[in-house]
Amino acid sequence: MPLSRSGRTARGRTSGRAPGAVGPGTGLLATFAALAALTTLSGCAGGPPAAAPIVVPPTTPVATPSAGTGVDDLHLPIEQYMLTPYQSVQFEWVRKAATGACMKRYGLDYPVPAKPGPGDTAVRTYAPMNRRYGITDPDAAAHWGYHVPLTASAPTAAEQPVALAALPVAARTVLLGVDPEHGTRATSYQGKPLPEGGCFAELDRIMPGAAGGPQGPGNGPQGTVTEIKSGSFTESKSAPEVAAATAAWTGCMKEHGFDLPDPLQAPAAVPSMKDPAPGQGEIAQAVADVDCKRRTNLIGVWFATESTLQNAAIGRHAKDLATVKAALDSEVRSLGRLLDHDWSSAAPPAL
């Protein structure tokens, strides 16, 4: 079941950039080639070569999507350096499958759920635009308020997160490669060598770079992709365009009887958020919240502003992101082969 980077999701992908906007990689090869030539020439004149200046390509502001555009149709520029939401869910499944196969080699059980499909409910949780600027779905707001919608069926035992404390000592030892009683590294189990990191690190050993996490290389705590995603979001919140749209949203909410200065903090204003189900007051506020976002086009303005900031950051980090993209493409190919592997066998796959 090979994967392709040509289509990011089953619903299709839009670039989210205005015509003429500088996308990642646009003109960058020529820019770096020119800089390399300048460095070489300066070195010929004697003495150490002069450091090439950093050239940031000009960024055309991203066009603002029309009011009411669904977040499923909006994709931030940095997403091209990430696994798609569906691939992220597949990655998580492969890690569990690899862990289970490793545990099987030591005669131990580890729950592995069924292979996920594109409609798996977990896919949305990996969508970068999912609730990035607060709730946006009017149907979900009318039924669930600010609560995360519950699925129709309860997860199976294999789909439940594994509780380490509930595992026997032997299973915890092999899973983590650590003696749970002494906190020291366990190097063997019943006479069989136990690799560092235990079975939970099995995928990291099979697929180098997997330690970057389910969203791909560069998405770890110190990763370039993480830095750009976090930086653009923080900067966009105080951008004049977003501040103006937020003020308009606040005015709209006052018309509905809600005094809320920040859409990101809106859920904190309803006491029922601590309850398993939403209250009527929460639902009323959530419905007004989504309606005011549509009326003021807060989501469209915020998305365009953050996308413009991300394009600029992508230009500044072009060299690092080229490395990330190469690693990502390799990981996608490996992920496709691992999804096709027969994990009922305890033997590790060869990539």
Side-chain angles (χ1 to χ4, degrees):
M1 175 174 160
L3 300 178
S4 170
R5 299 295 300 172
S6 61
R8 290 194 58 83
T9 63
R11 62 180 178 270
R13 175 173 175 84
T14 56
S15 66
R17 290 191 293 271
V22 176
T26 304
L28 290 174
L29 291 179
T31 300
F32 283 113
L35 292 175
L38 288 173
T39 302
T40 302
L41 290 174
S42 64
C44 294
I54 297 176
V55 178
V56 179
T59 302
T60 302
V62 171
T64 302
S66 59
T69 302
V71 293
D72 287 350
D73 296 318
L74 300 177
H75 298 278
L76 292 164
I78 197 62
E79 289 185 51
Q80 64 196 299
Y81 298 99
M82 301 165 58
L83 291 175
T84 69
Y86 181 34
Q87 288 170 343
S88 294
V89 172
Q90 290 174 316
F91 176 99
E92 290 279 44
W93 180 83
V94 166
R95 181 177 290 284
K96 292 175 183 176
T99 301
C102 175
M103 295 286 280
K104 192 181 301 181
R105 292 199 294 274
Y106 293 91
L108 299 168
D109 291 328
Y110 185 85
V112 178
K115 188 182 295 186
D120 193 287
T121 54
V123 172
R124 179 170 288 277
T125 64
Y126 282 107
M129 283 296 295
N130 181 40
R131 298 199 177 201
R132 189 170 183 85
Y133 312 133
I135 61 171
T136 58
D137 186 339
D139 292 333
H143 288 88
W144 298 100
Y146 292 101
H147 279 65
V148 176
L150 299 177
T151 57
S153 58
T156 64
E159 292 171 332
Q160 296 278 11
V162 175
L164 290 177
L167 293 176
V169 172
R172 277 183 282 164
T173 300
V174 175
L175 181 63
L176 302 177
V178 174
D179 182 340
E181 295 181 345
H182 303 93
T184 56
R185 181 188 168 190
T187 57
S188 65
Y189 174 75
Q190 293 187 347
K192 295 181 66 174
L194 189 59
E196 185 175 1
C199 283
F200 191 73
E202 179 74 354
L203 183 61
D204 302 334
R205 293 186 288 270
I206 295 171
M207 186 169 69
Q215 291 187 304
N219 280 271
Q222 307 300 322
T224 301
V225 176
T226 299
E227 178 185 339
I228 292 174
K229 284 189 296 184
S230 175
S232 66
F233 180 71
T234 300
E235 190 174 352
S236 67
K237 287 192 294 184
S238 58
E241 301 86 350
V242 176
T246 298
W249 173 87
T250 296
C252 176
M253 291 297 285
K254 284 183 178 179
E255 294 176 9
H256 287 278
F258 302 102
D259 187 9
L260 298 168
D262 185 352
L264 298 179
Q265 299 299 319
V270 289
S272 60
M273 280 301 294
K274 299 177 181 179
D275 301 330
Q280 289 304 308
E282 175 187 340
I283 289 177
Q285 179 182 305
V287 169
D289 184 344
V290 173
D291 178 62
C292 286
K293 284 191 176 95
R294 180 190 58 79
R295 288 169 58 184
T296 61
N297 198 16
L298 173 60
I299 300 303
V301 171
W302 204 334
F303 169 80
T305 302
E306 185 174 13
S307 294
T308 300
L309 291 169
Q310 283 194 1
N311 280 335
I314 287 169
R316 293 193 299 270
H317 294 275
K319 186 175 181 180
D320 287 343
L321 289 173
T323 302
V324 169
K325 185 62 166 63
L328 179 66
D329 291 343
S330 175
E331 186 166 303
V332 168
R333 291 190 294 270
S334 296
L335 185 58
R337 290 192 288 270
L338 292 174
L339 286 164
D340 285 338
H341 178 68
D342 179 11
W343 291 103
S344 64
S345 168
L351 292 180

